[in-house]
Every structure is written in structure tokens, then in C-alpha cells.
Amino acid sequence: MSKAIRVIISGGGTGGHIFPAISIANAIKALCPEAEILFIGALGRMEMQRVPAAGYEIKGLPIRGFFRPLWKPANIGVAIDYLKSKWMAKKLLREFQPDVAVGVGGYASAAALGAANSLGIRTLIQEQNSYAGLANKNLATKAERICVAYEGMERFFPAEKIILTGNPVRQNLLETTITREDAIRSMGLDPTKKTILLVGGSLGARTINESVLQHLGLVKSTDIQFIWQTGKYYSAEIAERLKGQTIPNLKVTDFITDMGAAYKAADLVISRAGASSISEFCLIGKPVILVPSPNVAEDHQTKNALALSTKDAAIYVKDAEAPSTLLQIAIETVQDADKLKSLSENVKKLALPNSATIIAKEVIKLAK
């Protein structure tokens, strides 16, 4: 009887890295139930709660991101933490003895996969964005496989290592059976009205929030409904600014647990342009307005948004212009049935289904 394969999965920092990582782990277990999987994340980050909640063990490293510009004195401490994290990662790898290490992006993956490379452990990296991050570009030279979500990634990585897989998404989004009407009713809204969902990621997005707060008069005057996920980071401030106002067509919540129902309720979504979110919109064929965050490495969200908007698969609104224009554009778009139909059809053409299973098969091949 062959021994069970052992896999390290590393990365995190945001839901955009964590959900794909968990999806890959679930797909490995579905194909190879006896597989042993250990996650390596960054202490104090979201993965330290989300991964155990999904049923997997995780070890944390004291790693964090560099400050921009790189010559800031504070980066000395960051560099020391990186070296300490790489030493700790090596120790974890020697103890766990994995057959393969998988990196999904985020601070921890740089240290964990760097350690795996130095110990001669086979590695696979998953690049979620249309513009490769610095960590993955550095890790690519020693990686056996590089799984990507966009075409044309040869400009960052060796072509012979690349596999076009798409980004794994949260399985419950694809499996939800709730109808649009029931989804809207569950949120206390009217199924006969057009509905716009605003999401700024798990932590929220100031620009998207300000786009609503500065146009509450417009929200009140329209017959459109809005589901607004503010993000936990901004919820107290927004509750204060909305105090005393009654706006029946505006449902405000700090966090949505059932995104499958929220997407089903929405005729149009307003979102940041994170790679995981975009993959979700492609798979469910959801019309979307993308407002890329300017506060990300290499401005990769703008490049993600352009990859869709140039194919008329999404509407792109610049972060700087959003507070003045976003809400008006959204209201006009949601009332244009032909535009919604073409956005839905075009975004669906870009979908790459079964990503987690395809990546899991590559991981198992490397492990064996």
C-alpha cells in the first residue's frame, strides 16, 4: 500500500488568497482522501481563523508586507521577520516532510516556498492575477508548475511550466439552489425591483462606501434597491453617519456570510477587482462594475479590470472617479436590460470551470 501524500499549502492575508487555498485542499482530499495537508499562514491574518474553520491545521509565521517605498527604515524589522519566518518554515517542513508545497500568494507563501526550494521540495505556485506578483516571479524559477488564470502569462513565467487553470472559487457559490426571489426576500427587500449589490471585499473598501454616502439623496430618490456590504473595518463609522436616516431601499450590513444568495439577489454587482472575485463573476455570469483598488502591489487590480473591460465583460470605473460617478453609472446600467445581458454573456465566456480539481491533479502528480 502506497503512503499517503503530504502537502503544504501556503498563502493568505485576504479572502482572495484563502478561499482558493481551501478549495485546492478540498479538491486534493476529494481525489486522495488519505492525503495529509498542513497550511502555513501569517500570524494575525485572516487565514489563522478561516483555515481551521474549514477543518485544516495551520501554522503561523511572523511575516508581514514591506512598506512602500522600500527604503523606509521600518523595513529593517520586516526583513528580520522574513528571515525568522523562513527559518521557522524550514523547521516546519523538516518536521512535516511534505512531498510537495503549494503557494497561492500572500506574505507567508514567499517564506514557505522559499524554504521548500532550499530543501529541494517540489513546488507548485498559483498566480491569480493577470499581472504576476513579485513573490511569485521570484519563486517561479524553481517551481515545477505554475497555474495561472489568464492567458499571456509567458511574459512573467517560463512558458513550459505554465498551465491555464483559472482561479478556484468558493464551492457554495456554484452549488446554491436559492431562487433570485427567495434570495431578495431573505434580505427583506422587494423581488419586483432591480437590485444592486455593493461589496468591497471582506474588509470593505472606503471608495465604494464613500460613493454611497455622498449620494444618499440619489439612493432615496430611485426605485432601485441596494445591498451594501460595508466591511467590518468601516461599519461603526458608517452606522454613525447614517444615524437618524430611514432608507427602505438600502440594506446595510458589515459582512455577508452567504455570498451565493447575495449574488443571486443582485442584477448588478459593484466590486473591487480582486482575482478571486473576478473568477466568481465569470463562473456565475454576473454583470459587474469593477472599481480596482489603487493600494495593491503592481496595481494588479487595474490590470485585472482591464482584462475584462476590454472584452466588454465588465464596466471599469477608476477609483479616483468613483465617488462622483459610480452610483449614477450603476443606476443607468441596471435599468438597461440589453447592457446587463451582454455583460453577463461576455463575462461567462471567460470562465474556466473546475480550477481546483485541475490544480489538485497537478499537485498529486508532483507528490507521486
Side-chain angles (χ1 to χ4, degrees):
M1 186 177 155
S2 61
K3 76 176 183 75
I5 65 165
R6 299 170 77 82
V7 182
I8 288 280
I9 300 179
S10 184
T14 66
H17 291 308
I18 298 160
F19 298 132
I22 292 169
S23 294
I24 293 167
N26 290 343
I28 293 169
K29 288 294 256 185
L31 294 168
C32 205
E34 74 283 4
E36 293 182 38
I37 299 172
L38 175 68
F39 280 74
I40 297 179
L43 288 168
R45 305 292 292 196
M46 197 191 293
E47 59 265 29
M48 300 309 292
Q49 282 80 46
R50 293 287 168 87
V51 169
Y56 296 100
E57 186 184 358
I58 186 166
K59 302 287 186 183
L61 305 176
I63 196 164
R64 51 206 170 105
F66 283 97
F67 297 97
R68 312 273 169 159
L70 289 175
W71 45 258
K72 279 191 174 181
N75 281 327
I76 296 168
V78 177
I80 291 167
D81 282 345
Y82 171 76
L83 293 171
K84 185 180 175 187
S85 294
K86 195 168 174 186
W87 177 84
M88 288 172 68
K90 271 189 182 177
K91 189 168 179 286
L92 285 169
L93 293 172
R94 285 195 182 105
E95 288 168 2
F96 187 71
Q97 295 193 317
D99 300 293
V100 61
V102 178
V104 296
Y107 307 139
S109 68
L113 267 77
N117 285 334
S118 66
L119 293 172
I121 295 162
R122 298 179 127 195
T123 60
L124 175 148
I125 57 177
Q126 196 238 338
E127 176 53 64
Q128 296 160 8
N129 295 293
S130 61
Y131 192 91
L134 191 61
N136 275 351
K137 281 191 271 190
N138 290 336
L139 293 167
T141 52
K142 293 192 174 175
E144 302 263 345
R145 300 274 190 285
I146 302 164
C147 298
V148 301
Y150 293 89
E151 290 172 350
M153 297 302 282
E154 298 82 10
R155 64 194 198 277
F156 304 111
F157 303 126
E160 69 278 5
K161 295 182 179 183
I162 294 173
I163 305 169
L164 183 66
T165 60
N167 284 324
V169 302
R170 291 172 278 189
Q171 205 55 35
N172 61 337
L173 297 184
L174 308 177
E175 291 168 354
T176 184
T177 54
I178 194 170
T179 64
R180 177 186 176 275
E181 288 70 24
D182 287 343
I184 292 176
R185 280 197 193 94
S186 74
M187 296 180 184
L189 296 171
D190 184 346
T192 65
K193 293 183 176 179
K194 291 285 186 185
T195 305
I196 297 172
L197 170 67
L198 302 105
V199 282
S202 47
L203 300 175
R206 181 174 289 282
T207 299
I208 291 175
N209 290 341
E210 284 299 326
S211 301
V212 180
L213 289 165
Q214 291 180 27
H215 298 280
L216 291 173
L218 180 59
V219 171
K220 289 176 188 173
S221 68
T222 183
D223 204 30
I224 312 296
Q225 299 176 135
F226 299 85
I227 302 164
W228 178 19
Q229 181 187 277
T230 62
K232 292 187 176 175
Y233 188 76
Y234 299 103
S235 59
E237 176 198 339
I238 287 167
E240 187 61 35
R241 288 171 71 176
L242 291 175
K243 203 177 255 183
Q245 300 206 50
T246 305
I247 311 174
N249 61 330
L250 180 65
K251 165 129 181 112
V252 185
T253 178
D254 63 341
F255 186 73
I256 297 169
T257 47
D258 188 351
M259 282 306 298
Y263 284 154
K264 195 57 81 88
D267 298 288
L268 176 69
V269 179
I270 294 170
S271 172
R272 286 304 200 192
S276 284
S277 298
I278 285 177
S279 296
E280 291 171 356
F281 303 138
C282 293
L283 283 164
I284 61 176
K286 189 57 64 175
V288 63
I289 298 176
L290 297 170
V291 187
S293 170
N295 310 312
V296 292
E298 285 104 13
D299 197 24
H300 66 250
Q301 284 204 5
T302 296
K303 294 164 179 107
N304 291 348
L306 288 169
L308 268 69
S309 63
T310 53
K311 295 183 173 82
D312 193 29
I315 295 168
Y316 162 44
V317 175
K318 287 181 183 172
D319 186 83
E321 296 169 5
S324 57
T325 65
L326 177 61
L327 226 59
Q328 189 61 52
I329 291 169
I331 288 168
E332 287 168 8
T333 303
V334 84
Q335 292 171 318
D336 183 341
D338 290 339
K339 183 66 176 173
L340 289 180
K341 187 168 182 280
S342 75
L343 284 171
S344 177
E345 287 171 354
N346 291 337
V347 80
K348 219 163 188 178
K349 287 175 194 166
L350 305 178
L352 292 165
N354 307 316
S355 302
T357 303
I358 295 165
I359 295 168
K361 284 178 178 173
E362 290 301 322
V363 173
I364 292 164
K365 266 192 243 170
L366 287 179
K368 290 184 174 177

